[in-house]
Each structure stands twice: as structure tokens, then as C-alpha cells.
Amino acid sequence: MATKKKRDVATNLMNSVKASSVTGTDVKSKQPTRKPSTTPGIQLIERTYNAVREIDPDLIDDSPHADRLELFTIVKSAEALTEDQDVDLQDGSRERLVDSILTHGQKVPILVRNSLKEKGRYEVIFGRRRLAAIRYIRSNPRPGEEGEKDKNLKIRANVETKDPLTSDAEFDNQVLVTQALENAARKNLSAYEKARFANLIHSTGVEKQEVARMMNLSASNLSNLLKITKMVPDSLGDMIGAASGCGRPKWEALATALEEKALSVREATKLLGDMEATSSSDDRLKALLAEIKRRAEHKSKTEVRELGGIAKVQKGPSGLKLTVNETKETAGFADWLDTNIEKILEESLKRFQAENPGES
């Protein structure tokens, strides 16, 4: 069912790109050669279902983009699994995939590219779970004759080749976007993961309009997501985690607070570092928002203190207010202060500047 969903998503994306790129219906009329879709990754998906090959999985290397993909598909946090584990193993899905392949065979081919480092080898574009399952079967063969087949089991794959007119850098970006689309299709991304996903795709050169269409977002929603990634550094986002239970407004509140310097990245990092390592990502984000709220409430309160019974000082967001107490001891002091206040302030400012060079 999950495989069908992924293929349906890819098909819908392909149909969307194809429909938007057709500019005329008269195929017989002489038209200038139309450039292929400029959306990186879509073309790779369109060409995925070519002649299927059977490849020795030992000849397939991991994607060089694996670490970058984890930035938005598996946000590193206290909840994340260790590096040598796959997020899909949390629910035992690898075991189910292994059982399915042993019973019905590998139904859906993976997508690989020719290795840029060594001739005759490949790099996986997508299908890492299927590749891991095949490798597991080969390393853990069943007893008897079936086990001999398991030891030599090959993986069914399509090999994507680079168009001669495409540069290595462009092809690399296409591969990255293809991986991203495949991962997004099989995972219910949180608001923050969507933001990281959108930012990564946009960073490969895809226009915002195309990113919005690929992710089924409005222009305003995309702008809000990109603001989150702009104001929340990846390092801080990784400490928080995906926060699947928190919607976009909470992330926007954090981004706004960082932008307005209501909380610094350094302060946020320290606060998260002091939390229990087992704290959920939702709790981590909520803790930052609670600190921001606490600071706002504290700042809004006017601080009042007495100066030896002579006057009251009120310090608030708008500034400092001095009120002279009307007592027998202070009789006439308010009038004198009113007459000399300008001189007193000038002298006080000079003293402040001398004691705090660079502050003014």
C-alpha cells in the first residue's frame, strides 16, 4: 500500500509538470525545440521505469547525499536513532519488507546511478530500505536450498544516466531532489521538516514557485516555512528535533523571537542543553516558547524601587521614571531638582560614558 502511494505521488508530480509545460496543441506546426522541465528531480522520476537490471548489492554504495537528506527527513535530536540504524526500523518495517521479498519477490525496483568514483559501481538514489532488506537476506540466508538462493540474491534496479547536456553539478542536484521527493512521499513530515525540505530543494536552484507546487503549498505558506529555516539555525533545529506534535505557528513564534532578539541562539542552545536528554522534541520546542513568554511577561512589568525614602524609581519598557516623595525632609527638593535636572543629567551621562566606553 505504501509503495502504491509513493508511485501515485510520483505520477501526480509528473502529470503536474507535464500539464504545465505544454503550451500548444498543434503538434504538426513548427515549434522551437522546447526545453525539458526545469524542475530538478522530476525528470529522473519520469525516467525511473526503464529496463530493469539485476545488480549485485555489493556493487551499490550509499548515496553521498545521505547526511544532507537526514537534515529534513530525520531531524537529528535526542529522539533520533543511532547513525547505523534506519528510522523505518522503529516499527519493525524492515522485517515486514524482508518477509514480503522472501514471499513475493522484489516488486518495485530501486533507482541507482553510475558511481562517480569507480567504474562498474553504483550509488543508490532511492530505495535504501529495499537495498538494506536484500542485503539482510543475503547475510541471513534461510536453511536448505532456499538459503543458497538467498546468498546470491540480486536487487532489481533502474540505472539513471546523466544527460550529456547536463552538467555534473546539475545532475547532482537532480539526484538530491529525487531522493527528497521519494522520502517525502513516504513520510508524514512535520512542519519543521517541511521547512527544512523546502529550503533544501530551493537551495539546489529550484524557483520558489516550483518548490511550492512540488510540495503542494501556497506561496505564503512556503514563505513562512522559509522564514523558519532562515531564523532558526540548523544546529538549533537539530537540537529541538522534528516536533511532530507542534504545528507551524509554534515554529513561527520561535523564529520571530529569534529575529527580534527576544531570545538568542546561544541562550536557546544552553536551555536545551540543560534539559534531560530524553526530553521529546515537542517538549523542547515548548520549553523555548515558555521561556520567551516568561521573558515577555517579565519585561512588561514595571519595576519599582524606593531610594531611601527620598524618591521612587520606576523602570519599565518605555524607560525610567523618577518620583520625588513629598515629605518634611524633602520639602523643596523637587523644585530644586527640576531647576538643575539638565545639568545633573549631562554630568551623569559623561560619567557613564567614561565608565562604559563604547556603550553610547
Side-chain angles (χ1 to χ4, degrees):
M1 192 70 178
T3 300
K4 182 178 184 300
K5 180 181 178 182
K6 285 187 286 185
R7 297 183 67 173
D8 287 343
V9 170
T11 300
N12 290 338
L13 285 169
M14 290 187 286
N15 290 338
S16 175
V17 172
K18 289 176 180 178
S20 64
S21 63
V22 175
T23 56
T25 57
D26 185 2
V27 296
K28 293 183 181 181
S29 61
K30 292 183 179 180
Q31 296 283 351
T33 302
R34 179 168 56 86
K35 293 182 179 180
S37 169
T38 57
T39 306
I42 294 295
Q43 295 164 14
L44 293 186
I45 292 179
E46 290 176 332
R47 298 196 297 269
T48 294
Y49 302 101
N50 54 13
V52 179
R53 305 184 195 180
E54 290 195 345
I55 300 176
D56 185 334
D58 290 339
L59 296 177
I60 303 176
D61 300 317
D62 290 333
S63 166
H65 295 306
D67 291 339
R68 289 184 67 192
L69 287 169
E70 285 182 356
L71 293 180
F72 62 88
T73 57
I74 309 171
V75 179
K76 298 173 184 176
S77 68
E79 298 170 278
L81 297 175
T82 56
E83 195 170 308
D84 61 343
Q85 291 178 303
D86 191 307
V87 69
D88 296 297
L89 302 186
Q90 294 182 79
D91 59 2
S93 58
R94 187 186 68 180
E95 285 73 13
R96 291 200 299 271
L97 183 55
V98 167
D99 290 341
S100 175
I101 292 174
L102 290 175
T103 304
H104 307 290
Q106 180 194 344
K107 296 297 183 183
V108 180
I110 69 171
L111 183 63
V112 299
R113 64 189 282 188
N114 292 308
S115 173
L116 299 178
K117 298 179 180 179
E118 185 177 347
K119 188 175 181 180
R121 296 191 66 81
Y122 306 89
E123 294 172 357
V124 63
I125 295 179
F126 64 70
R128 287 190 295 170
R129 292 177 60 246
R130 277 161 279 167
L131 178 59
I134 295 292
R135 286 173 172 168
Y136 179 85
I137 292 171
R138 285 166 60 98
S139 301
N140 300 273
R142 292 168 291 180
E145 294 182 5
E146 291 179 327
E148 292 303 314
K149 294 180 180 178
D150 293 345
K151 293 177 184 178
N152 299 301
L153 185 62
K154 289 183 170 57
I155 190 162
R156 301 175 68 243
N158 293 303
V159 181
E160 184 54 55
T161 55
K162 183 173 75 71
D163 189 305
L165 300 179
T166 302
S167 69
D168 289 343
E170 289 173 332
F171 184 64
D172 212 40
N173 280 341
Q174 290 178 6
V175 169
L176 176 60
V177 174
T178 302
Q179 286 178 284
L181 290 171
E182 197 272 344
N183 276 297
R186 70 178 176 85
K187 188 182 180 201
N188 184 24
L189 300 179
S190 69
Y192 181 57
E193 288 176 309
K194 286 180 181 178
R196 291 279 282 265
F197 182 10
N199 185 61
L200 180 58
I201 301 304
H202 181 49
S203 71
T204 66
V206 182
E207 296 294 333
K208 289 183 180 180
Q209 183 178 356
E210 283 297 326
V211 176
R213 183 172 62 170
M214 291 163 66
M215 297 185 64
N216 194 28
L217 297 169
S218 67
S220 60
N221 283 344
L222 176 61
S223 293
N224 290 334
L225 290 178
L226 293 180
K227 178 185 176 182
I228 292 172
T229 59
K230 179 181 178 182
M231 302 312 306
V232 181
D234 288 355
S235 58
L236 180 60
D238 290 341
M239 287 189 72
I240 298 170
S244 301
C246 296
R248 195 187 72 213
K250 285 185 171 61
W251 283 100
E252 290 178 346
L254 175 61
T256 299
L258 292 172
E259 182 180 28
E260 296 177 351
K261 302 188 185 310
L263 182 72
S264 70
V265 172
R266 183 177 180 180
E267 291 169 332
T269 300
K270 185 180 184 308
L271 190 152
L272 294 175
D274 291 339
M275 294 182 68
E276 293 291 336
T278 55
S279 300
S280 72
S281 58
D282 287 327
D283 288 342
R284 288 169 174 266
L285 178 56
K286 290 176 181 177
L288 292 181
L289 295 178
E291 173 63 13
I292 292 167
K293 181 180 179 181
R294 185 192 70 78
R295 292 186 177 203
E297 291 175 346
H298 178 73
K299 187 176 180 180
S300 65
K301 294 179 180 178
T302 300
E303 299 177 4
V304 180
R305 68 181 189 276
E306 287 278 350
L307 298 181
I310 300 172
K312 291 186 182 71
V313 174
Q314 296 178 322
K315 184 180 180 182
S318 59
L320 193 70
K321 181 180 179 182
L322 178 68
T323 304
V324 176
N325 296 330
E326 290 291 343
T327 65
K328 182 178 180 181
E329 288 76 13
T330 62
F333 178 57
D335 293 335
W336 177 88
L337 188 61
D338 182 38
T339 302
N340 296 277
I341 190 66
E342 187 173 350
K343 181 179 179 181
I344 292 173
L345 287 177
E346 288 177 354
E347 293 176 350
S348 298
L349 178 60
K350 289 179 181 178
R351 179 180 173 184
F352 165 77
Q353 292 171 338
E355 294 176 356
N356 300 276
E359 290 291 332
S360 58

